[in-house]
């Protein structure tokens, strides 16, 4: 069969799109590798509008539950399927996954992004041997130890705040000035175990069987410093999950799908994009959900005008 709409992704954007597609009775297939999203690793989320505080896992579970609450008879959910390729097919599109293939008149790409890897000597060698990308998951393993956090944005300072509960010291390195919200920065720096250094770039990770130290360069003085740490938590941004759409929709230099902020239309008629996978100026859970709502409103009109 040919669906009216294929939604690719199960994070905040994918879930919001599914809710609105169901309410508008758009015959839809939702292809979601999982419903986790990047915030799944967050211990506490305080800016999801309408809820004072909840964990990332609780948010993920709530998104999935809401998405599926209205979908009976309207939406087919293909959980656990990863999108492999998106291509033109007749007047619509073919979405190939690792388990099957689906045809749709329109496509909403809401596949989000993945954590960027730290690219310095020793990072790959010591991954899971002291280098990690999840403070929530691995923080307790470093109880009583000295650790470092790479990244001066909200994610970096939030990771540091979690680690301060376990570790004897936390040193945060920021490539530029701090980009985190001032309140988040101030809260972390109040702890005497916390040290944050601006304009500091990691140069090398050293160790034996496990990490034992981190070398960084203070860019303003070109000075190298080596600090003893047994854990390094990288919060260095994300990479859009857009590889399957390569050659179909236009992307920016970083791989984000270019989308019109008025309606989330991509460069090809019949394709929309929402959330962290787009070239939008800001990427947050609430913004991703809002992007998806805009897209579905526009898709609904587009589909009916095509009949």
């Amino acid at each position: 069969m040919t669906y009216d709409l294929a939604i690719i992704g199960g994070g905040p954007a994918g879930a919001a799109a599914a809710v609105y597609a169901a309410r508008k009775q758009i015959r839809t297939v939702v292809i979601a590798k999982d419903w986790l999203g990047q915030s799944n690793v967050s211990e506490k989320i305080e800016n999801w509008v309408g809820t004072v505080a909840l964990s990332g896992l609780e948010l993920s579970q709530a998104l999935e539950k809401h998405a599926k609450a209205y979908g009976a008879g309207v939406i087919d959910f293909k959980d656990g399927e990863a999108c492999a390729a998106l291509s033109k097919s007749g007047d619509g599109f073919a979405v190939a996954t690792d388990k099957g293939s689906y045809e749709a008149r329109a496509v909403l790409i809401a596949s989000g992004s993945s954590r960027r890897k730290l690219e310095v000597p020793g990072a790959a060698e010591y991954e899971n041997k002291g280098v990690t990308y999840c403070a929530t998951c691995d923080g307790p393993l470093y109880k009583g130890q000295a650790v470092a956090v790479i990244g001066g944005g909200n994610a970096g300072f939030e990771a540091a705040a979690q680690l301060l509960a376990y570790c004897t010291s936390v040193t945060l390195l920021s490539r530029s000035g701090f980009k985190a919200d001032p309140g988040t920065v101030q809260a972390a720096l109040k702890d005497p175990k916390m040290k944050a250094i601006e304009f500091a770039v990691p140069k090398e990770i050293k160790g034996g069987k496990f990490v034992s130290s981190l070398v960084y360069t203070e860019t303003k003085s070109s000075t190298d410093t080596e600090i003893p740490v047994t854990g390094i938590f990288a919060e260095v941004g994300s990479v859009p999950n857009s590889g399957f759409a390569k050659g179909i929709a236009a992307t920016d230099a970083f791989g984000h799908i270019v989308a019109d902020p008025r309606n989330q239309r991509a460069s090809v008629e019949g394709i929309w994009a929402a959330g962290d996978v787009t070239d939008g100026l800001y990427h947050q859970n609430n913004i991703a959900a809002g992007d998806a709502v805009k897209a579905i409103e526009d898709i609904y009109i587009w589909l009916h005008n095509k009949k």
Side-chain angles (χ1 to χ4, degrees), residues 125-126 204-214 226 229:
E125 178 184 353
Y126 289 107
E204 184 181 2
I205 296 167
K206 297 182 178 182
K209 188 176 181 180
F210 298 97
V211 168
S212 62
S213 67
L214 170 65
E226 183 172 353
V229 294

Side-chain angles (χ1 to χ4, degrees), residues 144-148 163-164 166-171 193-195 228-229:
Q145 301 177 46
V147 302
L163 294 167
L164 287 167
Y166 311 112
C167 303
T168 55
S169 70
V170 177
T171 302
K193 296 183 294 181
M194 175 77 180
K195 181 179 181 180
V229 294

Side-chain angles (χ1 to χ4, degrees), residues 143-156:
K143 184 177 181 179
Q145 301 177 46
V147 302
V149 174
I150 312 299
N154 281 323

